[in-house]
C-alpha cells in the first residue's frame, strides 16, 4: 500500500510584473517628469516582481513617481511601513500558486478554511487510487509505525471490497445499459470513499495572494498549529521568501520539537496586515 511521509510543495506559478516595459509606458504618457523614474529605478531594479508590484501599487495611490519617492532600492523600508500600518491591501496584487501533495485529507480540511485562497483538489468521486500519509509521530516509533501500516492495509482492502460490492448493487438498482460507465464509477466511488481514513493523501493546488499567504503562515506556522499543517506551512514559506523576500522579511524562525528539517515556527511583529 503506497504511503508518503512528508509534504511536497511545488511552486507552479507566481506574479510576473512587466515593470520595465508596460509600466514605463504609463509613466511617460502620464507625466514627462516621471521619465527619470525609469532611469533611476525601473531599469536598475533588482527586486522581485512579487515585491515590486505591491510597492508600485502603493505608490500609484499618491502618484509618487517623482524625485521624492521611495526608490526601489528602498523597497524594504517602503513595505515595512505598509506592514507596520496594516495597509496590507497592496500585498494582494502579488500571488503564488502551489501544488501540495504528500498531505492528508485531515490537513486539507484545515487548509481550505482559509477563504481567500482558491483550491483544486483530487476528487475521491472520480479517482480510486488512494495513497496514504504517515503522521510524523508514527514515523519514529516502531509500534505506531506498524499500527499505521496495518491500518492503511485494512483501509485499502476494505475500500477495494466496497468498490466490488457497490458495483454489483449499483448495476442491480440501475440496470439501464445506456448509463455511462463514468456515471456508474462515480456512484460507486462516492459511496466507497466513506471507508477511506483521514490519513488518505489529498493532493491540492492552492492559489493565494501574499496578504492571504501571510495570514495562513501566521496561523499555521505557529506553535499552536497541528504538526502536519505546520510542516506544510514552513515548506510553503521556504518558497515565498524566495519569490518575495521583502514581503516575508519580518518573519522570525524558531525551532520547534521534534526538530525535523521542517520543524520551525514563524513569528512577526506585524500580524494580520
Ligand atoms: C490552532 C488552530 C486551531 C483551530 N481549531 C479549530 C476548531 O477547533 N474548530 C474549527 O472549526 N476551526 C478551527 N480552526 C480554524 C479557524 O477557526 C479558522 O477557520 C481558520 O484558521 C481560518 O482563519 P480565518 O477565520 O482568520 O479566516 P481566513 O479565511 O483565512 O480569512 C482571513 C481573514 O479575512 C477575514 N474574513 C474572511 N472571511 C470573512 C467573513 N466571512 N466575514 C468577516 N471577515 C472575514 C477575517 O478577518 C479573517 O481572519 C483552528 C485554527 C487554528 C490555527
Amino acid at each position: 500500500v503506497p504511503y508518503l511521509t512528508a509534504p511536497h510543495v511545488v511552486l507552479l506559478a507566481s506574479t510576473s510584473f512587466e515593470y520595465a516595459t508596460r509600466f514605463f509606458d504609463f509613466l511617460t504618457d502620464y507625466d514627462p517628469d516621471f521619465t527619470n523614474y525609469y532611469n533611476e529605478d525601473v531599469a536598475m531594479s533588482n527586486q522581485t516582481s512579487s515585491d515590486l508590484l505591491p510597492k508600485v501599487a502603493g505608490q500609484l495611490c499618491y502618484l509618487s513617481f517623482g524625485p521624492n519617492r521611495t526608490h526601489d532600492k528602498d523597497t524594504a523600508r517602503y513595505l515595512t511601513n505598509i506592514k507596520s500600518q496594516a495597509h496590507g491591501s497592496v500585498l494582494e496584487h502579488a500571488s503564488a500558486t502551489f501544488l501540495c501533495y504528500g498531505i492528508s485529507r485531515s490537513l486539507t480540511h484545515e487548509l481550505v478554511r482559509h477563504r481567500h485562497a482558491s483550491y483544486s483538489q483530487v476528487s475521491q468521486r472520480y479517482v480510486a487510487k488512494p495513497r496514504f500519509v504517515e503522521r510524523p509521530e508514527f514515523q519514529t516509533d516502531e509500534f505506531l509505525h506498524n499500527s499505521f501500516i496495518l491500518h492503511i492495509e485494512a483501509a485499502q482492502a476494505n475500500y477495494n471490497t466496497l468498490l466490488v460490492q457497490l458495483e454489483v448493487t449499483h448495476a442491480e438498482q440501475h440496470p439501464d445499459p445506456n448509463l455511462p460507465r463514468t456515471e456508474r464509477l462515480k456512484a460507486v466511488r462516492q459511496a466507497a470513499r466513506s471507508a477511506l481514513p483521514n490519513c488518505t493523501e489529498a493532493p491540492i493546488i492552492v492559489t493565494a495572494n501574499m496578504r492571504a499567504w501571510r495570514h495562513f503562515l501566521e496561523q499555521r506556522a505557529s506553535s499552536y498549529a497541528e504538526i502536519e499543517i505546520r510542516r506544510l506551512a514552513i515548506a510553503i514559506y521556504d518558497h515565498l521568501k524566495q519569490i518575495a523576500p521583502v514581503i516575508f522579511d519580518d518573519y522570525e524562525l524558531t525551532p520547534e520539537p521534534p526538530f525535523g528539517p521542517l520543524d520551525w515556527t514563524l513569528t512577526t511583529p506585524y500580524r494580520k496586515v
Side-chain angles (χ1 to χ4, degrees):
V1 176
Y3 70 93
L4 297 91
T5 55
H8 295 257
V9 175
V10 183
L11 173 66
L12 296 184
S14 64
T15 290
S16 171
F17 178 22
E18 300 294 332
Y19 197 28
T21 52
R22 298 184 192 174
F23 192 67
F24 178 60
D25 290 347
F26 160 76
L27 287 174
T28 49
D29 181 53
Y30 197 92
D31 184 342
D33 286 347
F34 290 164
T35 306
N36 278 341
Y37 186 87
Y38 181 82
N39 298 327
E40 293 173 14
D41 279 33
V42 178
M44 300 169 64
S45 175
N46 60 358
Q47 309 286 344
T48 68
S49 284
S50 294
D51 280 336
L52 269 177
L53 183 54
K55 172 179 181 272
V56 169
Q59 285 173 271
L60 185 79
C61 297
Y62 306 110
L63 280 178
S64 55
F65 301 108
N68 293 329
R69 69 190 175 274
T70 305
H71 289 264
D72 284 354
K73 63 181 169 50
D74 298 320
T75 297
R77 178 156 57 85
Y78 189 92
L79 291 184
T80 298
N81 199 31
I82 291 276
K83 287 182 264 185
S84 67
Q85 295 181 19
H87 284 170
S89 64
V90 293
L91 305 184
E92 295 170 17
H93 292 292
S95 66
T97 300
F98 298 104
L99 163 65
C100 306
Y101 65 100
I103 56 175
S104 70
R105 190 83 172 180
S106 50
L107 184 155
T108 63
H109 190 74
E110 297 181 345
L111 177 62
V112 300
R113 293 293 297 274
H114 293 273
R115 290 162 283 184
H116 298 293
S118 305
Y119 304 96
S120 298
Q121 184 167 33
V122 170
S123 167
Q124 293 181 336
R125 297 179 76 198
Y126 286 89
V127 180
K129 279 190 181 169
R131 302 197 299 183
F132 301 92
V133 177
E134 184 176 27
R135 284 196 61 79
E137 297 91 331
F138 299 171
Q139 294 169 23
T140 50
D141 181 281
E142 195 180 349
F143 176 85
L144 293 172
H145 173 73
N146 291 338
S147 157
F148 166 73
I149 297 295
L150 287 175
H151 175 55
I152 61 173
E153 282 175 352
Q156 176 80 72
N158 191 22
Y159 178 69
N160 292 345
T161 305
L162 288 180
L163 287 178
V164 172
Q165 184 58 29
L166 281 162
E167 192 144 357
V168 172
T169 55
H170 189 266
E172 285 169 5
Q173 290 162 7
H174 303 84
D176 178 2
N178 294 323
L179 189 67
R181 173 95 183 124
T182 49
E183 285 304 305
R184 208 177 281 290
L185 287 177
K186 188 170 73 175
V188 164
R189 289 166 181 173
Q190 74 189 11
R193 71 171 166 177
S194 62
L196 292 174
N198 266 339
C199 66
T200 305
E201 189 200 19
I204 194 166
I205 290 178
V206 192
T207 301
N209 65 56
M210 297 308 176
R211 191 187 206 183
W213 279 127
R214 283 184 60 97
H215 184 64
F216 167 77
L217 294 180
E218 285 152 31
Q219 289 201 329
R220 304 301 184 175
S222 114
S223 55
Y224 300 107
E226 189 276 325
I227 185 168
E228 193 192 356
I229 199 168
R230 174 164 56 69
R231 287 182 170 181
L232 176 77
I234 293 296
I236 288 174
Y237 166 74
D238 282 344
H239 286 284
L240 290 172
K241 72 180 185 210
Q242 305 293 328
I243 303 165
V246 174
I247 290 177
F248 295 94
D249 70 0
D250 50 309
Y251 286 113
E252 287 216 7
L253 285 158
T254 308
E256 182 79 8
F259 304 117
L262 292 174
D263 288 325
W264 301 86
T265 53
L266 293 174
T267 50
T268 172
Y270 310 122
R271 284 181 67 85
K272 207 171 183 188
V273 299

